[in-house]
Amino acid sequence: MSNSIETKCLHAGYNPGNGEPRQVPIYQSTTWKYSTSDDMGRLFDLEASGYFYTRLQNPTNDYVAAKLCALEGGAAGMLTSSGQAANFFAVFNICEAGDHFIASSSIYGGTYNLFGVTMAKMGIECTFVDQELPYEELCKYIKPNTKCIFGETITNPTCSVLDFEKFARLAHEHGVPLIVDNTFATPVNCRPFEFGADIVTHSTTKYIDGHASSVGGAIIDSGNFDWMAHAEKFPGLTTPDESYHGITYATKFGKGAYITKATAQLMRDFGCIQSPQNAYYIQLGLESLAVRMERHCKNALKVAEYLQNNDKIAWVKYPGLKSDSHYNLAQKYLPKGTCGVLCFGVKGGRDASIKFMDSLELATIATHVADCKTLLLHPASHTHRQLSDEQLREAGIAPDLIRFSVGLEDADDIIADIEQALAKI
Ligand SMILES: *Cc1c(COP(=O)(O)O)cnc(C)c1O
């Protein structure tokens, strides 16, 4: 389909036939019926495609995954129960005990903990790097057992923009894929495959759902990474899977190999499935995503400009501001706008920041971000409180940083709320 992204948000992934439901139906069934033992057996052998048990596949989930895949311009996609599950599966699908991978140190706190603590217990080592380092410096972190590079299009919460060209080169010159978490940008504002990323992940919990209704995740594969060309690095894809009757994913499934393996092995064994009901909510969110992102960006720019000119504000970080250090990268990779999230510090440090947050009336303190309603939180005392001061500094998070997620309200109302709260400091 060569339609624009706005049209795909509404129509991609599900194409009802004559007399079929206009909206994606919810297949609220764990299981499917077959007439013969052989019909069912062929599904288990991955010799025929079809549904048998929702832990592995469900039509509602598949329609929504297909829409996301079309939006990203990928070859195959899958939904997961959360963004955490998506990032875990994305890496674990190609890394095992004894392997190493590289991630930007500026990523979401939950992902930082997953990679740095929990996956370390599984024998997988992650090196966190400063994503602003020059290419030659980054190369020094590559090891013979490095299996992938990971970053976020726009980092949560620090709002830095990933230099795709530099990171795609780092990955590809060392024979490994680049995995990008595209949660904040959404495929409406950035399609990482166009800039060399190989695999994209999402927390659909954020803008894609958009209404704080359901936790979810997704993985989309571009199908562009040539596993067989680096066969020795990725035996899980390039040698027979004994747990699946000796299938070799890369030769049997081509561009679908990575997602088929993640479904057949990881979903089978870990079971982090999306519920069809929640997939339906994600689908509703996707229909209006393009319209919402445009408004989020417009509102956030207005709020960022207001904050920048306010003498009670110590600093503002929003890559849509011309003065921002990531403005040029944002123009290059996200010309339509970045997202509604920005961050700033209030003069007077931690105490003033807390007084400010407690005085807001419209914007609410919530452990959430990228929602239709304006929300904020203070990473040092909320999402990142498990990190040491040194880790906080490494992740570029100042103690006074307030993550402010601009919603779809009237921008002037949001600004008036900020103004009355600042007046109370
Ligand atoms: C929220 C978030 C996640 C985790 O997603 P959940 O759906 O909460 O599990 C991962 N990456 C980014 C960038 C996020 O903002």
Side-chain angles (χ1 to χ4, degrees), residues 80-87 107-111 150 152-157 181-184 201-206 214-217 367-370 403:
T80 57
S81 52
S82 66
Q84 286 297 110
N87 284 329
I107 55 175
Y108 171 65
T111 315
F150 183 97
E152 293 174 356
T153 303
I154 303 169
T155 60
N156 177 1
D181 181 333
N182 198 31
T183 297
F184 272 17
T201 61
H202 282 283
S203 165
T204 60
T205 317
K206 313 297 166 54
S214 37
V215 173
T367 310
H368 189 36
V369 64
R403 183 182 73 187

Side-chain angles (χ1 to χ4, degrees), residues 31-110:
T31 195
W32 275 257
K33 178 204 132 159
Y34 287 93
S35 302
T36 71
S37 166
D38 191 50
D39 287 346
M40 178 73 103
R42 288 167 54 75
L43 296 177
F44 273 94
D45 283 347
L46 301 183
E47 286 302 333
S49 65
Y51 296 97
F52 52 103
Y53 192 58
T54 283
R55 170 149 46 78
L56 290 174
Q57 278 190 300
N58 174 286
T60 310
N61 292 10
D62 283 357
Y63 291 135
V64 180
K67 175 172 285 189
L68 264 169
C69 186
L71 290 171
E72 289 287 2
M78 67 194 286
L79 300 187
T80 57
S81 52
S82 66
Q84 286 297 110
N87 284 329
F88 172 57
F89 277 22
V91 174
F92 195 66
N93 203 29
I94 47 174
C95 284
E96 54 188 49
D99 285 344
H100 168 258
F101 69 107
I102 290 173
S104 161
S105 60
S106 306
I107 55 175
Y108 171 65

Side-chain angles (χ1 to χ4, degrees), residues 17-325:
N18 190 36
E20 288 179 358
R22 175 60 277 197
Q23 184 51 281
V24 169
I26 303 170
Y27 283 79
Q28 193 67 44
S29 181
T30 58
T31 195
W32 275 257
K33 178 204 132 159
Y34 287 93
S35 302
T36 71
S37 166
D38 191 50
D39 287 346
M40 178 73 103
R42 288 167 54 75
L43 296 177
F44 273 94
D45 283 347
L46 301 183
E47 286 302 333
S49 65
Y51 296 97
F52 52 103
Y53 192 58
T54 283
R55 170 149 46 78
L56 290 174
Q57 278 190 300
N58 174 286
T60 310
N61 292 10
D62 283 357
Y63 291 135
V64 180
K67 175 172 285 189
L68 264 169
C69 186
L71 290 171
E72 289 287 2
M78 67 194 286
L79 300 187
T80 57
S81 52
S82 66
Q84 286 297 110
N87 284 329
F88 172 57
F89 277 22
V91 174
F92 195 66
N93 203 29
I94 47 174
C95 284
E96 54 188 49
D99 285 344
H100 168 258
F101 69 107
I102 290 173
S104 161
S105 60
S106 306
I107 55 175
Y108 171 65
T111 315
Y112 192 98
N113 196 68
L114 166 69
F115 290 174
V117 180
T118 301
M119 289 183 74
K121 291 180 188 161
M122 305 170 96
I124 298 168
E125 184 199 4
C126 179
T127 304
F128 295 102
V129 298
D130 173 358
Q131 66 180 42
E132 307 303 331
L133 286 175
Y135 178 76
E136 290 68 26
E137 290 297 312
L138 290 171
C139 288
K140 293 179 186 163
Y141 293 100
I142 300 273
K143 300 182 183 192
N145 61 341
T146 302
K147 297 299 168 75
C148 65
I149 314 284
F150 183 97
E152 293 174 356
T153 303
I154 303 169
T155 60
N156 177 1
T158 47
C159 300
S160 299
V161 176
L162 188 73
D163 185 339
F164 282 100
E165 204 172 283
K166 183 173 72 178
F167 273 79
R169 182 175 164 217
L170 179 70
H172 298 157
E173 293 211 344
H174 296 92
V176 300
L178 173 63
I179 304 176
V180 172
D181 181 333
N182 198 31
T183 297
F184 272 17
T186 82
V188 169
N189 282 347
C190 181
R191 287 167 301 281
F193 298 154
E194 293 172 5
F195 308 115
D198 300 286
I199 292 148
V200 159
T201 61
H202 282 283
S203 165
T204 60
T205 317
K206 313 297 166 54
Y207 286 120
I208 287 177
D209 169 329
H211 302 78
S213 84
S214 37
V215 173
I219 310 172
I220 320 291
D221 179 19
S222 65
N224 293 337
F225 193 82
D226 187 349
W227 307 107
M228 291 310 279
H230 307 281
E232 73 299 339
K233 275 196 206 292
F234 304 105
L237 280 152
T238 62
T239 61
D241 175 6
E242 294 316 327
S243 79
Y244 244 115
H245 322 301
I247 278 173
T248 300
Y249 294 98
T251 51
K252 190 167 173 72
F253 298 105
K255 284 180 180 293
Y258 174 89
I259 292 294
T260 305
K261 177 179 181 290
T263 304
Q265 286 180 344
L266 304 186
M267 208 53 104
R268 177 195 63 189
D269 295 350
F270 291 104
C272 310
I273 55 151
Q274 183 54 284
S275 76
Q277 184 79 38
N278 280 0
Y280 176 84
Y281 296 136
I282 292 164
Q283 145 65 17
L284 287 185
L286 281 169
E287 292 192 343
S288 63
L289 184 65
V291 181
R292 288 186 286 112
M293 288 313 290
E294 192 181 329
R295 177 69 173 262
H296 277 297
C297 291
K298 208 172 132 202
N299 278 359
L301 185 60
K302 211 165 166 186
V303 171
E305 282 167 349
Y306 164 81
L307 291 168
Q308 193 177 35
N309 296 319
N310 190 303
D311 58 15
K312 289 193 172 170
I313 300 298
W315 55 273
V316 185
K317 173 78 189 149
Y318 185 63
L321 287 173
K322 284 208 171 68
S323 56
D324 193 273
S325 60

Side-chain angles (χ1 to χ4, degrees), residues 109 112-113 380 383-392 395 397:
Y112 192 98
N113 196 68
T383 46
H384 286 63
R385 63 187 300 144
Q386 80 281 9
L387 300 191
S388 67
D389 279 4
E390 196 195 337
Q391 285 173 318
L392 265 184
I397 295 164

